[in-house]
Amino acid sequence: CWQPTKNQKWRSYSIRNSIELEIVGHAKTLGVILSNNLSWNNHITTIITKANKRVYIIISLLLKAGASS
């Protein structure tokens, strides 16, 4: 896998049959966010954000159900 040195920048390059691929900072594949530097930060942040939203909804529903009893 090619990785640039500190002085080089990520850029697009072509593979077989003149297909141009763009190198991006991160991409989501099969539910996992892959970063170009192989860190898990983007993936973990996304999972935590989703979990927090769902916990908030569940707590809101429980409080609303408890208040109506």
Side-chain angles (χ1 to χ4, degrees):
C1 181
W2 178 84
Q3 291 200 357
T5 62
K6 290 182 180 180
N7 296 332
Q8 295 174 323
K9 294 182 179 178
W10 288 97
R11 61 178 182 267
S12 62
Y13 62 95
S14 56
I15 298 182
R16 298 180 192 155
N17 300 330
S18 299
I19 297 173
E20 187 80 14
L21 296 177
E22 180 182 358
I23 298 176
V24 295
H26 59 275
K28 187 173 184 178
T29 303
L30 298 173
V32 177
I33 299 176
L34 304 171
S35 298
N36 61 1
N37 61 358
L38 300 177
S39 77
W40 289 95
N41 295 340
N42 290 332
H43 181 71
I44 298 299
T45 302
T46 302
I47 297 298
I48 290 172
T49 301
K50 285 182 180 181
N52 285 337
K53 289 178 183 179
R54 292 173 183 168
V55 167
Y56 175 78
I57 291 170
I58 291 170
I59 290 174
S60 297
L61 291 173
L62 289 173
L63 291 175
K64 195 177 286 188
S68 64
S69 303

